[in-house]
Amino acid sequence: MLGLNQDYPLTLPTVLEHGAANYGCTEVVSFGHGETVRTDYAAIGRRARRLGSVLGQEMYGSLAWNTFRHLELFYAVSGAGAVLHTANPRLPPAQIAYTIDFAGYNTLFIDLDTLALAESLQPQLPKIETYIVMAPRDAMPATDLPNAVCYEDLIDAGDADWVWPTIDERSGAVLCFTSGTTGAPKGALYSHRGTVLNALSTGGGNGWGLSANDAILAVPGFFHCNGWQIPFFGPMYGAKLVLPGRSADTPFLHRLIIQESISVAPGVPTIWLGLLEHCRETQQDLGRLNRIFSGGSAPPAAMMEAYLRDFGIRTIHGWGMTETTAGSTMSFALDDLAKMRTQGKPLYGNEIRIVDETGKAAPRDGKTPGSLQVRGHWVAGGYFRRPDAVCQSPDGWLDTGDIAAIDPDNTLHLLDRAKDMVKSGGEWISSQALEEAALRLPSVQEAAVLAIPHPKWQERPLLVLVARPGANPTEADVITHLSQIVPKWWLPDAIVFVDALPLGPTGKLAKTELRQWLKDGRLSPYPIR
Ligand code: ADP
C-alpha cells in the first residue's frame, strides 16, 4: 500500500525557493574581480528564475569562481531541468579542456577571473559556440571569444515570475569531475535527490550543525564537490553566505571572517594551517568564528588542538570524495580531540564497510585495515558516459580507494589512500599517520611521506619536510621526535627538506607531483641509517 503523502520531489529549486521565501533578506556577500555585491536570497531567487526561463539546452558548463552569479547558475540550470558541469579552473589546462569537450555542451559560463583561461582554452573547445560572461554590463571585456554574451542580458531577458518545471528528483543536476590523479578525470553526475539529501544530512546537527544564525565563508571552489554543498546549505538553512571569488589569500579570508561575522568556515587543512600562522604572527583573533570544517585530507592534531585551545574553535572533521557528492562521514565532537581526529561516523543516508583483498568484510575492531567502501543516497553508482570505468563492487558498494579501520561503534579511521600506503616487509605503514607524527614537531610546517623502493623490504618511507620559517630542525631532531610516537620500523629511511610542497587543484598535497620530483631527481634522498 502506498503512503498518502503528497508527491513533493527533492529538487534543487525547492531549496532556493525555501531560502527566498523564509530568509529572503538574509545576506549573500560576493567578491570577485573588484566587484563587491551585497544581495539576498529573495533577489537570488528572482534572478535564478529569470535565467532559468531563458535556458533551453540539456547541459551547460561553468568555468568560474565563487560568486553570487555562479550561485544563481546552480539553481537556474538545474531548475530548468538541465545539468551544470562545474569545470575546475585549477586543473591542468589540458584536463579542463578534456572535461568540457567530453561533456559535449555548447554554452560555457565564465567570469572575469577565468576569462584569460577561457581565451587560452578556446582553440581546444571546438563544441563551445557561446561564452556567457558573468560580469556586470559595464565591465564586459573586449574579447576574441566567439559569441561572448553578457550574463546580465540573459537575466534581463528572463521572466521573474516563471515557474520551475516539474523535474524527476532522480534527474542529473550537477556534473563534477574527479581531479584525475589516476588517469583521465571521470565525471560524477549528481542527481537532485542525492544532492538535497546530502545537504540535509551533512548540514544537520551531527554534521555542520547549521542554522539561520550562521554565516558561512565559502572557501572550497564551487567546482569541487559542489563547493562542499555550500550553495545549497545557504538557502536550506537560511545561513548568510560570504563568497570570496577566486581568492584564498589568508589575510583576505581573515578580514572576511572578522568583517562579515563568519561563524563557520570550511576548507582543506592547508587553509587552516595558514590562518593559524597568520593569527599567531599578527596577534589577531577570529571574531565570531566558532567552528571550522576540515575535509579533503587529514587535519594535523596539533592544528585542531591549537584552534580549540587558543580560540575555542571546534574542528568538524569530515571525509568524502567527488564520488560521494560531498561529505559522507563526520566527527561530531564538542571538545574531544581524540574524536575530532577520526573521520567520524557516517551521516544518515550512507553506510561504510571495509573489505579485504578478496572482497570479504573485514572486522570492525578499530585495528584491522581494509579497503573502504560506501553506499547510500548520494554515492556514485557509475561514471558519466564511462560504462567501462566500474566503481562499484558486484554487491553495489563504491570502492573509494582508501584504506581504513572501523571501530565497533562505526567510527572511521582513514589510514591512507591505497596508493600512498608504504608496504614494508609485507606490513603497511600509513603515510598519513607518519606525516601527522612529523607535524607534531613544532619546527616542522609541512610533511609528506613517499614510498621508495627497497631491495629487502620492498618499500620504505621517505619523509619530505618543510621547516617552519626561522626554524632549523635536523634529521636527528626529527628521528628522535618520531621515535617517541611511531614504531621503530616506521622510521623513515631518508629525510629531505624542501622549500615548499606541491599542491594539487583542490589545495591538497599533490603526491603524484612529488613522486615525479623523485623520478626527475629533484628530490634526492640519501640514506640516514
Ligand atoms: P582529489 O583526488 O582531488 O583529492 P577528492 O576530493 O575526490 O579528489 O578526494 C577524495 C579523497 O581525499 C578521499 O578518497 C581521501 O583519500 C581523501 N580525504 C578526503 N577527506 C579526508 C579526510 N577527512 N581525512 C583524510 N583523507 C581525506
Side-chain angles (χ1 to χ4, degrees), residues 275-341:
L275 186 68
L276 197 58
E277 200 61 33
H278 177 74
C279 290
R280 276 183 183 146
E281 267 167 24
T282 59
Q283 307 251 307
Q284 295 186 79
D285 69 13
L286 286 162
R288 199 186 149 224
L289 188 70
N290 59 62
R291 56 210 196 280
I292 54 175
F293 179 90
S294 178
S297 58
M303 178 195 98
M304 294 191 275
E305 213 173 313
Y307 272 107
L308 197 60
R309 187 190 57 227
D310 300 345
F311 302 101
I313 292 175
R314 175 162 76 95
T315 304
I316 309 165
H317 174 201
W319 169 88
M321 60 195 304
T322 304
E323 289 88 335
T324 65
T325 307
S328 270
T329 70
M330 275 178 211
S331 80
F332 172 75
L334 283 175
D335 49 11
D336 182 337
L337 277 163
K339 274 195 191 157
M340 272 185 212
R341 287 174 65 178

Side-chain angles (χ1 to χ4, degrees), residues 179 181 224 296-298 317-322 343 402 414 417 432 506 508:
S179 53
T181 34
H224 184 231
S297 58
H317 174 201
W319 169 88
M321 60 195 304
T322 304
Q343 277 69 23
D402 285 334
L414 209 83
R417 286 191 172 200
Q432 241 170 53
T506 49
K508 295 195 235 177

Side-chain angles (χ1 to χ4, degrees), residues 56-293:
Q57 321 272 347
E58 200 186 17
M59 192 182 284
Y60 294 86
S62 64
L63 183 66
W65 300 95
N66 296 7
T67 65
F68 76 105
R69 295 188 181 90
H70 204 181
L71 177 68
E72 292 165 355
L73 202 57
F74 272 95
Y75 291 102
V77 171
S78 66
V83 169
L84 178 67
H85 165 221
T86 48
N88 181 346
R90 288 212 186 99
L91 285 180
Q95 286 194 3
I96 306 175
Y98 168 84
T99 60
I100 294 175
D101 199 60
F102 185 82
Y105 44 84
N106 61 24
T107 306
L108 182 65
F109 288 78
I110 60 173
D111 63 29
L112 291 177
D113 285 313
T114 57
L115 176 74
L117 177 62
E119 285 171 340
S120 70
L121 289 173
Q122 193 261 328
Q124 298 169 65
L125 303 177
K127 294 177 192 141
I128 302 295
E129 293 162 7
T130 308
Y131 289 83
I132 298 172
V133 187
M134 295 194 283
R137 205 169 286 112
D138 58 8
M140 265 305 275
T143 172
D144 292 337
L145 288 173
N147 295 325
V149 174
C150 180
Y151 178 89
E152 295 300 329
D153 288 345
L154 292 190
I155 300 271
D156 286 354
D159 174 5
D161 297 324
W162 182 67
V163 179
W164 301 105
T166 305
I167 301 168
D168 183 330
E169 64 183 26
R170 294 164 305 172
S171 311
V174 180
L175 175 66
C176 193
F177 280 78
T178 62
S179 53
T181 34
T182 49
K186 296 187 286 289
L189 179 54
Y190 308 143
S191 68
H192 284 259
R193 173 188 156 83
T195 311
V196 171
L197 288 173
N198 179 275
L200 266 175
S201 192
T202 56
N206 285 343
W208 294 46
L210 294 172
S211 78
N213 295 320
D214 278 311
I216 310 174
L217 179 61
V219 183
F222 280 0
F223 41 80
H224 184 231
C225 295
N226 283 347
W228 301 11
Q229 298 288 59
I230 290 173
F232 312 117
F233 283 155
M236 182 178 275
Y237 291 95
K240 169 176 167 175
L241 282 191
V242 178
L243 313 176
R246 77 173 297 174
S247 179
D249 169 62
T250 306
F252 176 60
L253 294 182
H254 182 264
R255 185 157 62 78
L256 293 186
I257 287 171
I258 303 296
Q259 196 177 290
E260 301 298 333
S261 295
I262 297 296
S263 62
V264 54
V268 291
T270 327
I271 299 277
W272 306 127
L273 285 166
L275 186 68
L276 197 58
E277 200 61 33
H278 177 74
C279 290
R280 276 183 183 146
E281 267 167 24
T282 59
Q283 307 251 307
Q284 295 186 79
D285 69 13
L286 286 162
R288 199 186 149 224
L289 188 70
N290 59 62
R291 56 210 196 280
I292 54 175
F293 179 90

Side-chain angles (χ1 to χ4, degrees), residues 269 273 297-305 317 337-338 340-343 413-416 429-442 444-449 463-465 478 481-482 485-486 490 509 511:
L273 285 166
S297 58
M303 178 195 98
M304 294 191 275
E305 213 173 313
H317 174 201
L337 277 163
M340 272 185 212
R341 287 174 65 178
T342 73
Q343 277 69 23
H413 300 262
L414 209 83
L415 302 174
D416 223 334
I429 298 174
S430 157
S431 69
Q432 241 170 53
L434 199 50
E435 286 157 9
E436 223 257 303
L439 284 169
R440 285 199 236 166
L441 192 63
V444 167
Q445 180 149 306
E446 292 172 53
V449 169
L463 178 61
V464 187
L465 295 177
V478 178
H481 161 80
L482 288 176
I485 307 176
V486 300
W490 277 37
L509 174 65
K511 285 221 174 149

